[in-house]
Amino acid sequence: MSVLIIKLGATGDVVRTTPLLRRLAGSVSWITAKNNLSLLQGIDRTLRCVSWENRKCVVDATYDLVINLEDDCEASQFLDELMFKQLFGAHLNGDDQLAYTSDSREWFDLSLISRYGREEADRRKLLNRRTYQELVFSGLGFDFTGETYLLPEPIETGLSGDVAIAADAGPVWPMKQWAYYGELIRRLKDKGLIVNVLSKRSSLLEHLCDVRNHCCLVGGDSLPMHLALGTGTQCVTLFNCTSPWEIYDYGIQTKVVSPLLEQFFYQRGYDRRATTAIGVDEVEAAVLKQLEIPAPVMIQIAT
């Protein structure tokens, strides 16, 4: 069976899609954003991954299945250049409007291109209690049984410690930026813990190493969280405005959910109340509890 996956970004979403590779038989090609190539190259010897800019490289075959997880017109337009027998995911309908296949509706009904419209999609997303993997696996006819992420071998940085802080939320989701990281860092250091704030690296493989070299990661629903889940690193994750239920915790994650989650659910603006609703005491207690419990051994890194 030959499969083509189209999943460009965000990087964390690419990482959480890699469990599919543990279930897809045969050869798999993957089109992704150029900056994500380093996280896909080498994780599976049968995987061919190309950047979006080099997507013409994958038009050389007829695919049994194309999985398009992008909800934009350009990715769906590219489907016209491909030869395939079955499509799962987004495409353009007869009116050149974004639509999606019926077998992918469990995921896309909750998306920006939901047939129900944005408001109803967000309401359904708030009510949903199935993880991303469960929703996508189910549509493809698989049962999700905890298949782990696939990640490459990281580049050693020398940064290590007890707690890594992933404080940066980025410009798209400013309300993911918790207000009290500074106070949390002070308290943890006062207890003699080695705490490092993760900084931007020149390579995602260095960023991966920074996460792996700590006992616990604290941050929002972001790429470092997925890198922690993929490397067996315990994590405490704060959910201010996104769904905690879509994230599969692999038995190593503590989710701290804002009491105002519903009020700010999937809003991309900024309101300070969203960033201050979770208290420092609750997060500190969750971190200290995580550090008392040895993380389970999880083998995800490609060799």
Side-chain angles (χ1 to χ4, degrees), residues 108-124:
F108 281 102
D109 278 352
L110 313 179
S111 75
L112 291 173
I113 62 171
S114 172
R115 56 184 168 161
Y116 298 106
R118 175 68 183 275
E119 184 176 347
E120 175 62 13
D122 284 350
R123 189 188 73 83
R124 288 170 175 259

Side-chain angles (χ1 to χ4, degrees), residues 27-252:
S27 61
V28 180
S29 299
W30 190 320
I31 302 174
T32 192
K34 182 187 295 186
N35 63 294
N36 296 330
L37 286 176
S38 62
L39 289 178
L40 293 177
Q41 291 170 333
I43 61 174
D44 188 307
R45 292 173 184 172
T46 66
L47 176 65
R48 173 177 65 162
C49 50
V50 301
S51 68
W52 175 248
E53 292 77 7
N54 291 326
R55 60 191 178 278
K56 299 288 187 182
C57 295
V58 305
V59 301
D60 59 351
T62 298
Y63 296 96
D64 295 303
L65 173 64
V66 172
I67 302 171
N68 180 20
L69 296 170
E70 289 300 314
D71 55 9
D72 67 86
C73 289
E74 193 173 13
S76 290
Q77 287 170 344
F78 178 61
L79 296 175
D80 291 338
E81 301 181 41
L82 298 170
M83 295 180 291
F84 55 88
K85 299 175 183 177
Q86 180 185 351
L87 172 68
F88 174 93
H91 62 90
L92 295 177
N93 62 21
D95 298 322
D96 283 339
Q97 299 297 311
L98 281 168
Y100 44 92
T101 57
S102 60
D103 55 1
S104 67
R105 65 184 181 276
E106 291 183 339
W107 171 246
F108 281 102
D109 278 352
L110 313 179
S111 75
L112 291 173
I113 62 171
S114 172
R115 56 184 168 161
Y116 298 106
R118 175 68 183 275
E119 184 176 347
E120 175 62 13
D122 284 350
R123 189 188 73 83
R124 288 170 175 259
K125 205 172 184 71
L126 182 63
L127 296 175
N128 171 59
R129 294 298 181 268
R130 302 176 72 194
T131 66
Y132 168 79
Q133 291 94 329
E134 288 176 304
L135 293 167
V136 174
F137 272 54
S138 175
L140 289 166
F142 302 131
D143 289 326
F144 177 65
T145 57
E147 285 79 2
T148 52
Y149 296 175
L150 279 163
L151 289 170
E153 186 65 30
I155 295 175
E156 184 58 55
T157 62
L159 183 71
S160 63
D162 298 306
V163 180
I165 303 291
D168 187 20
V172 177
W173 299 100
M175 286 192 291
K176 287 185 180 181
Q177 185 80 40
W178 188 49
Y180 302 127
Y181 282 116
E183 173 63 15
L184 177 68
I185 292 168
R186 184 190 65 77
R187 292 189 185 191
L188 295 177
K189 285 185 174 181
D190 284 348
K191 289 180 168 58
L193 297 173
I194 300 172
V195 183
N196 294 308
V197 178
L198 299 184
S199 59
K200 187 175 179 61
R201 292 287 192 179
S202 59
S203 164
L204 286 173
L205 299 184
E206 292 178 316
H207 192 41
L208 175 61
C209 186
D210 285 344
V211 172
R212 187 192 65 172
N213 285 354
H214 288 80
C215 299
C216 180
L217 173 90
V218 183
D221 173 11
S222 60
L223 173 60
M225 175 197 73
H226 288 292
L227 298 182
L229 292 171
T231 56
T233 303
Q234 295 174 111
C235 53
V236 174
T237 307
L238 286 64
F239 292 88
N240 292 334
C241 57
T242 56
S243 172
W245 307 286
E246 279 181 17
I247 306 301
Y248 186 73
D249 64 20
Y250 290 100
I252 57 173

Side-chain angles (χ1 to χ4, degrees), residues 175 177-180 238-240 256-261 263-264 271-280 282-283:
M175 286 192 291
Q177 185 80 40
W178 188 49
Y180 302 127
L238 286 64
F239 292 88
N240 292 334
V256 183
V257 181
S258 168
L260 301 181
L261 178 68
Q263 184 174 347
F264 297 107
D271 189 312
R272 179 170 169 77
R273 291 175 299 158
T275 67
T276 58
I278 295 174
V280 182
E282 184 177 4
V283 179

